[in-house]
Amino acid sequence: MATPSTQLPTISRASGDPAALTADALVVALRTGTDGGVPAASGLAKKPAAALTAAADAVGHTGKAGSTVRIPSPTGFKAASVVLVGIGDVDEHTSGSDASLEALRRAAGNALRALDSVDSVALAFPAAEADAAEAVATGALLGSYRYTAYLSDAADKNPVTKLQVVAPATAQSGLDRAATVARAAADARDLVNQPPLDLFPASFAQTIVDQSAAADLKKAKVRVEVLEEETLRERGFGGLIGVGSGSTRGPRLVKISYAPKKAATHLSLVGKGITFDTGGISLKPPAKMEEMKSDMAGAAAAAASVFAIARLGLPVRVTAWLALAENMPSGSAQRPADVLRIYGGKTVEVTNTDAEGRLVLADALVAAQEESPDLIVDIATLTGAQVVALGLRTTGVMGTDAARNKLVLAAEATGEQMWPMPIPEEMIRSFDSNTADLTNAGGRAGGMLAAAAFLQEFVEDGVEWAHLDIAGPSYNAEGPHGYTVKGGTGVPVRTLVELAGQLAGA
Ligand code: BES
Ligand code: MN
Ligand code: ZN
């Protein structure tokens, strides 16, 4: 079954007084005033603003970030209901800072998550500038996401189909950009959420081929190449072949290329795409194993990002490499003690079949370097140690100093939380093998950093490279918050697109 594409609402710009807008719900941002919640919306006339201030007062809404209250519309409002959402200490003048933009995204996301069974929603926020309008639209679009592909009665869910953001004409570009980037994040979520019965290496590859047939991607000359299992074996992709050997559904390596004529630089995105990670013969315990359907989130993000970058027409050459395999235990599975030959020739003794991501990434990293890109970013749900070190929402960023800093900077602009981490030089010693060049599982201490040290062995000196460990942030198994729903989050698509934009601008 091809990956079903979740429909996001359409987004359009509205102008004039928000009170005059027709919608099932009008979402109004409230900031914290000295005396309670104050409407912080562009274009609101005095009278409706006073009515909203009174309403906020009546329900005790102080404008605090995270607070969301839906009320029947006060007199003078055309919309059927009003949703008051807190944005905290943000007004027209401060709305351009990274923190304030994130407050707008989260508030819009909170509102849209709270709205079920409504068709049209208008948002009145401090959105006079394009970046603020983009933030509001992004939060609203991502907060409206509902994964309904496998529900027998999805019609009941009645998703929002139409969003309007109150903003001046000069902010239209922000809305357009939000639509493209949120679409990409939703595509990544869809892939992560799809059950592994239906998402396996060949079906993943086919979904990417199908998606690349969209008219705008064809026009941007996006190309997809799928290396089948036999080709991988012949060409010596020992990591993918070894990890995939336990499954009846063989591995694939997918290469997506976007190469605009005016490209300033060449960015390679390498994604871990384990469509299900049982651990293999080093079998995982049963608790929460179902979350391992998300072990392809890096590959999903890489694919969605290159498509978004192409749709935006950014002048950056981007190549995505999706290393796809299913890690299963079986009579044909690789065993602990087996030695693999990674693409390019390095050998690895597999001491733990559950450290499979680094094996498929090693193949893809070596392949990516054959094109001599200016920057390589790999994206992987690589270690449980990432969650221990940084928690469920903060991506660990490792690699060369310059590349790592670029990623952390790009992340700040998007609100996706990332933090730089080192690759201590001594760590690679824990991968010493008696038989091969390396083992695949080093010491337990600093497991996220150790995994990065392993990957570093497959990155040549002088190559700019960043490694993103997204084990926690790519999949939300706890409660929803802001524009982050349960399940796939779409992290770090928005940061990768932002990075491409920053590379284009530099
Ligand atoms: N896919 C897992 C890492 C993971 C854990 C992702 C939790 C998302 C949430 C990875 O393949 C894995 O199993 N890593 C091992 C490595 C160890 C065997 C060296 C781990 O983290 O335990
Ligand atoms: Mn594993
Ligand atoms: Zn894994």
Side-chain angles (χ1 to χ4, degrees), residues 277-299:
D277 182 12
T278 64
I281 295 297
S282 312
L283 192 62
K284 286 183 182 295
K288 308 236 171 126
M289 200 200 274
E290 70 277 10
E291 292 177 11
M292 284 302 118
K293 75 171 179 178
S294 69
D295 212 19
M296 32 53 68

Side-chain angles (χ1 to χ4, degrees), residues 11 36 68 90 108 157 184 220 226 250 256 266 276 326 340 389 408 423 475:
I11 194 140
T68 305
V90 179
K157 281 253 164 173
V226 179
I256 313 173
H266 182 191
F276 195 70
E326 185 175 48
L340 306 177
V408 172
I423 308 179
Y475 190 75

Side-chain angles (χ1 to χ4, degrees), residues 216-353:
D216 51 357
L217 293 180
K218 275 179 122 170
K219 194 160 164 254
K221 294 204 168 63
V222 171
R223 300 258 179 276
V224 178
E225 193 185 331
V226 179
L227 301 193
E228 310 273 334
E229 182 169 12
E230 270 327 297
T231 311
L232 293 173
R233 198 185 312 278
E234 280 163 27
R235 298 202 194 160
F237 286 89
L240 281 156
I241 292 296
V243 172
S245 65
S247 175
T248 54
R249 310 188 291 181
R252 297 288 187 275
L253 180 64
V254 177
K255 178 183 178 188
I256 313 173
S257 321
Y258 164 60
K261 283 205 187 74
K262 57 221 155 137
T265 180
H266 182 191
L267 167 66
S268 287
L269 303 174
V270 175
K272 172 179 172 182
I274 301 298
T275 57
F276 195 70
D277 182 12
T278 64
I281 295 297
S282 312
L283 192 62
K284 286 183 182 295
K288 308 236 171 126
M289 200 200 274
E290 70 277 10
E291 292 177 11
M292 284 302 118
K293 75 171 179 178
S294 69
D295 212 19
M296 32 53 68
S305 299
V306 58
F307 288 161
I309 292 163
R311 289 193 158 110
L312 293 171
L314 297 179
V316 178
R317 178 178 167 197
V318 186
T319 311
W321 300 84
L322 319 183
L324 309 178
E326 185 175 48
N327 190 22
M328 297 290 276
S330 78
S332 60
Q334 62 176 347
R335 332 161 237 286
D338 281 352
V339 173
L340 306 177
R341 189 176 294 274
I342 300 297
Y343 185 61
K346 279 208 174 80
T347 59
V348 179
E349 180 188 3
V350 179
T351 50
N352 188 329
T353 65

Side-chain angles (χ1 to χ4, degrees), residues 357-402:
R358 58 198 74 182
L359 298 172
V360 301
L361 284 172
D363 271 347
L365 280 169
V366 174
Q369 283 166 89
E370 288 182 334
E371 296 188 321
S372 306
D374 299 298
L375 172 61
I376 301 178
V377 180
D378 80 68
I379 311 107
T381 48
L382 204 58
T383 66
Q386 179 278 321
V387 179
V388 176
L390 294 173
L392 291 166
R393 299 189 191 174
T394 303
T395 295
V397 189
M398 290 140 281
T400 55
D401 291 354

